[in-house]
Amino acid sequence: MKIAFVGKGGSGKTTLSSLFIRHLAAHQAPVVAVDADINQHLGAALGLDEAETAALPAMSAQLPLIKDYLRGSNPRIASAETMIKTTPPGAGSRLLRVSESNPVYDACARPVRLDGGEIRLMATGAFTESDLGVSCYHSKAGAVELCLNHLVDGPDEYVVVDMTAGADSFASGMFTRFDMTFLVAEPTRKGVSVYRQYKEYARDFGVALRVVGNKVQTRDDAEFLRDEAGDDLLTVFADSGWVRAMDKGRPARFELLEQENRAALEMLRHTARESYAGRDWDRYTRQMVHFHLKNAASWANERMGADLAAQVDPGFVLGEEALLQGALPQPA
């Protein structure tokens, strides 16, 4: 299943996404974690030091390799150069699985050992000096969107994406790629304003959205979030000494995380699994095609000098069936 963490900058979404990843690893679940925020902090939150975090390969730098691999033998795609972030898979495309070896993971993912298990970590890559004034961050996050569009995930497999802050996620169709979106909100007016904005933008796309309260210190904090988010409020995270120690680079064993916060993490896992059970691959594929056609018409056709609507395979539906019908992952 695919899970996104979103929220206002400083709300703690990276901290909570890292805790959730640790929780999954402790349950021996296969996990691909993706840092898709312009501020690349997920590696540090998972315990990497500065040198290890800086050494993470940037997915954006590997975009030509990603396109070439995913294109496979799809006859509707003239070349890897004509693929854009929304290009959907079709017959002949290579698909990704969470638990496999492939050239994309070899180039972009690195193993991270956590208490009780190991996960794969990928990162879009930070803004560089050459990007300043000439590109937007969504050009980097396009590599993540392309991979999500070609990934067939199962009910006990997890892709956890730490998204960019605020409502910037809506600059692409990536916000529709998730079975569950957890919006991390502080008990403040600014904290809940992002929730209202996100819910409004996502309203017409069937996005499964639940609010997770963070930095909750009093009953009044929890009641404020309940008043503002209503039934969308799933759970809250209490003030945590374990997290403060983690922020200092001195985390205890994960099993020592406060019991109430461990219970909150399990609620997130249960909620995500319930949402995945309702996954509609046909609808998932239609949304993918919708945003591709929108991008093709608005800018990509002119830039590529071709009608990229022709990349859509009308008979293709992403999912387990696609793996059996010829769009197979290829060995590394």
Side-chain angles (χ1 to χ4, degrees):
M1 65 197 74
K2 303 181 179 86
I3 299 164
F5 280 81
V6 301
K8 180 182 72 67
S11 64
K13 68 179 181 61
T14 297
T15 296
L16 288 191
S17 61
S18 72
L19 291 175
F20 185 62
I21 291 164
R22 290 175 186 269
H23 183 67
L24 296 175
H27 283 81
Q28 304 296 307
V31 180
V32 174
V34 183
D35 191 342
D37 194 354
I38 189 170
N39 299 306
Q40 303 269 278
H41 296 316
L42 184 58
L46 291 172
L48 300 187
D49 61 29
E50 289 185 12
E52 291 169 326
T53 300
L56 289 172
M59 293 179 70
S60 55
Q62 297 295 331
L63 193 53
L65 178 150
I66 293 171
K67 289 180 177 180
D68 188 62
Y69 179 75
L70 297 179
R71 176 188 173 224
S73 60
N74 187 335
R76 294 177 177 274
I77 303 175
S79 67
E81 289 73 24
T82 63
M83 293 179 73
I84 61 174
K85 63 183 181 179
T86 55
T87 295
S93 296
R94 292 191 180 105
L95 303 180
L96 304 174
R97 298 303 303 256
V98 172
S99 299
E100 68 171 2
S101 295
N102 61 54
V104 174
Y105 291 157
D106 290 345
C108 302
R110 293 294 179 265
V112 177
R113 185 73 185 173
L114 300 172
D115 293 354
E118 186 175 272
I119 60 102
R120 281 175 168 149
L121 175 61
M122 305 170 74
T124 56
F127 240 30
T128 65
E129 186 174 344
S130 62
D131 294 320
L132 297 177
V134 296
S135 27
C136 72
Y137 189 69
H138 305 291
S139 63
K140 293 182 176 293
V144 180
E145 185 170 359
L146 197 58
C147 286
L148 292 177
N149 282 351
H150 288 75
L151 191 145
V152 179
D153 51 313
D156 296 314
E157 301 173 323
Y158 295 84
V159 179
V160 181
V161 183
D162 181 19
M163 298 281 279
T164 194
D168 284 354
S169 304
F170 291 94
S172 76
M174 193 159 67
F175 72 94
T176 65
R177 302 296 84 201
F178 302 101
D179 298 290
M180 177 55 62
T181 296
F182 292 123
L183 190 146
V184 181
E186 301 167 271
T188 64
R189 287 186 296 173
K190 287 184 178 180
V192 298
S193 68
V194 172
Y195 153 69
R196 294 196 192 97
Q197 187 180 33
Y198 208 103
K199 185 172 183 177
E200 175 66 21
Y201 288 165
R203 181 183 56 191
D204 296 331
F205 295 94
V207 172
L209 177 68
R210 299 301 299 270
V211 175
V212 181
N214 192 32
K215 304 180 183 179
V216 173
Q217 298 183 10
T218 66
R219 179 174 295 180
D220 182 67
D221 286 343
E223 290 176 352
F224 172 80
L225 289 170
R226 177 66 67 187
D227 290 342
E228 297 296 328
D231 290 341
D232 285 341
L233 180 65
L234 176 63
T235 188
V236 300
F237 277 75
D239 190 50
S240 172
W242 194 98
V243 169
R244 285 195 296 275
M246 180 187 74
D247 289 341
K248 296 173 184 175
R250 303 171 184 172
R253 294 283 298 174
F254 184 65
E255 63 190 21
L256 298 178
L257 178 71
E258 299 85 3
Q259 182 57 41
E260 60 187 317
N261 288 332
R262 292 176 65 86
L265 291 171
E266 182 57 23
M267 185 175 292
L268 266 62
R269 185 169 77 120
H270 176 75
T271 302
R273 294 181 74 175
E274 281 191 332
S275 184
Y276 177 87
R279 164 86 68 85
D280 181 343
W281 284 107
D282 289 297
R283 182 171 177 273
Y284 189 90
T285 304
R286 287 196 304 273
Q287 285 185 329
M288 185 192 314
V289 169
H290 166 78
F291 283 104
H292 178 64
L293 295 178
K294 191 172 182 179
N295 276 267
S298 65
W299 64 270
N301 287 346
E302 182 178 358
R303 181 175 300 180
M304 298 296 177
D307 181 8
L308 299 191
Q311 294 180 341
V312 176
D313 183 342
F316 182 85
V317 177
L318 187 66
E320 295 287 347
E321 291 291 321
L323 295 175
L324 302 175
Q325 295 175 1
L328 296 171
Q330 301 297 314

